[in-house]
Amino acid sequence: MQVQVLGSYGSRTPEFNTSSLLINKTLLLDAGTVTAALSLEEQAAVDDVLLTHAHLDHMVDLAFLVDNCLLRRSSPLRVWAPSPVLEAVHRHLFNNEVWPDFTRLPAPAAPALELIPLEAGSEIEIAGLGVCWRRVSHPVFTAGYRLTGGGSSVLFSGDTGATDDLWELGKTSPDLKAVFIETSFPNRLTDLARASGHLTPAGLREELKKLDRAEMPVKIFHMKPQFLQEIMAELKALGDNRFQVLDGGEKFLF
Ligand SMILES: [Zn+2]
Ligand SMILES: [Zn+2]
């Protein structure tokens, strides 16, 4: 499984891009930064998108991805997520007010966008990968995912506060090779992190105890750019050599 980091931050500046991973060149995991990172040809090669939740920093580039590929694709772009996430995306973005309803354009019988709800529980196959999700703790309905392919699994939590079910899923995955997890705020903003369903370095340390895998690589993302130096210093002070803070552009093979 090839994982390419297109964006890895919790907001945008000229240097920092919102979160998105490209898996095996055809599947996006969140769509915070796509169209500024991929050529038109690369964008047209994306067939499927998995969304963790409907917050803007995780789905904004769906708008431009579907627009850019409107006449380049022969089949709809498939967007997968639990139904509350898809309903929010449809109601608030593709609503014919903020942006066209591409689930009915260019023609209702042959739309550019297909929204496909993911049932809870069992694993299904998307883009040749096994996909399983669990609800995580965040102010809006949010999923964390386990992706499995080629004998390897990766656990991916989008935005999350303290959570349990996703770690249970990780614990029962013997082929787990890495965890992607957010750390948005420095420790001094713990109250804000709790209220907004995010982690600090201290919160991250507590969450990883639940997974209980001493050697598991941990890929950290979704830092808020204005607090980056503080977060980096606090992560370093934890002295955990499993940590890698993502900056965008990294490619991993699992
Ligand atoms: Zn976010
Ligand atoms: Zn969020």
Side-chain angles (χ1 to χ4, degrees):
M1 188 185 341
Q2 188 199 68
V3 178
Q4 182 180 350
V5 183
L6 303 182
S8 62
Y9 289 91
S11 189
R12 285 185 176 178
T13 75
E15 294 165 84
F16 302 116
N17 288 310
T18 40
S19 303
S20 190
L21 298 181
L22 180 63
I23 320 288
N24 294 340
K25 295 190 163 72
T26 65
L27 170 69
L28 284 170
L29 185 36
D30 278 344
T33 298
V34 182
T35 53
L38 299 179
S39 68
L40 283 174
E41 287 69 27
E42 290 168 327
Q43 290 175 41
V46 173
D47 291 323
D48 297 281
V49 184
L50 274 174
L51 290 181
T52 59
H53 65 308
H55 275 162
L56 195 66
D57 57 319
H58 297 257
M59 62 90 161
V60 62
D61 268 6
L62 274 184
F64 305 112
L65 180 63
V66 72
D67 189 61
N68 281 345
C69 298
L70 197 55
L71 300 177
R72 288 174 174 262
R73 301 181 51 83
S74 53
S75 58
L77 178 70
R78 293 178 293 264
V79 177
W80 309 76
S83 54
V85 178
L86 296 181
E87 284 160 16
V89 169
H90 202 175
R91 189 165 60 243
H92 298 296
L93 177 59
F94 297 103
N95 58 7
N96 280 331
E97 292 187 34
V98 173
W99 206 242
D101 181 1
F102 283 108
T103 67
R104 301 184 60 77
L105 290 170
L113 186 67
E114 189 178 2
L115 305 176
I116 310 174
L118 288 172
E119 302 301 325
S122 57
E123 183 175 272
I124 73 158
E125 188 179 315
I126 299 172
L129 297 170
V131 175
C132 196
W133 68 273
R134 294 288 184 271
R135 190 171 177 184
V136 298
S137 159
H138 199 51
V140 296
F141 196 105
T142 302
Y145 289 98
R146 183 187 67 192
L147 303 184
T148 305
S152 298
S153 286
V154 171
L155 207 61
F156 181 90
S157 183
D159 292 356
T160 189
T163 196
D164 292 307
D165 290 354
L166 190 68
W167 299 126
E168 280 300 318
L169 183 64
K171 275 168 112 167
T172 56
S173 308
D175 55 0
L176 192 65
K177 298 295 194 299
V179 171
F180 289 74
I181 178 101
E182 70 127 288
T183 301
S184 298
F185 292 109
N187 291 332
R188 69 181 166 88
L189 298 178
T190 294
D191 288 348
L192 176 59
R194 288 213 177 108
S196 57
H198 288 294
L199 294 176
T200 61
L204 172 68
R205 184 187 56 198
E206 294 307 306
E207 290 305 295
L208 291 173
K209 286 179 186 168
K210 299 177 188 172
L211 181 65
D212 195 22
R213 298 277 188 96
E215 304 300 322
M216 186 63 57
V218 178
K219 313 297 185 190
I220 299 169
F221 70 101
H222 203 274
M223 298 72 63
K224 297 288 183 184
Q226 61 177 320
F227 308 120
L228 182 60
Q229 297 313 320
E230 254 181 292
I231 295 167
M232 295 284 275
E234 290 173 355
L235 287 170
K236 195 173 172 199
L238 291 176
D240 193 322
N241 60 15
R242 297 173 297 175
F243 289 177
Q244 179 182 5
V245 179
L246 300 179
D247 187 38
E250 295 90 347
K251 278 186 187 171
F252 302 103
L253 213 51
F254 297 109

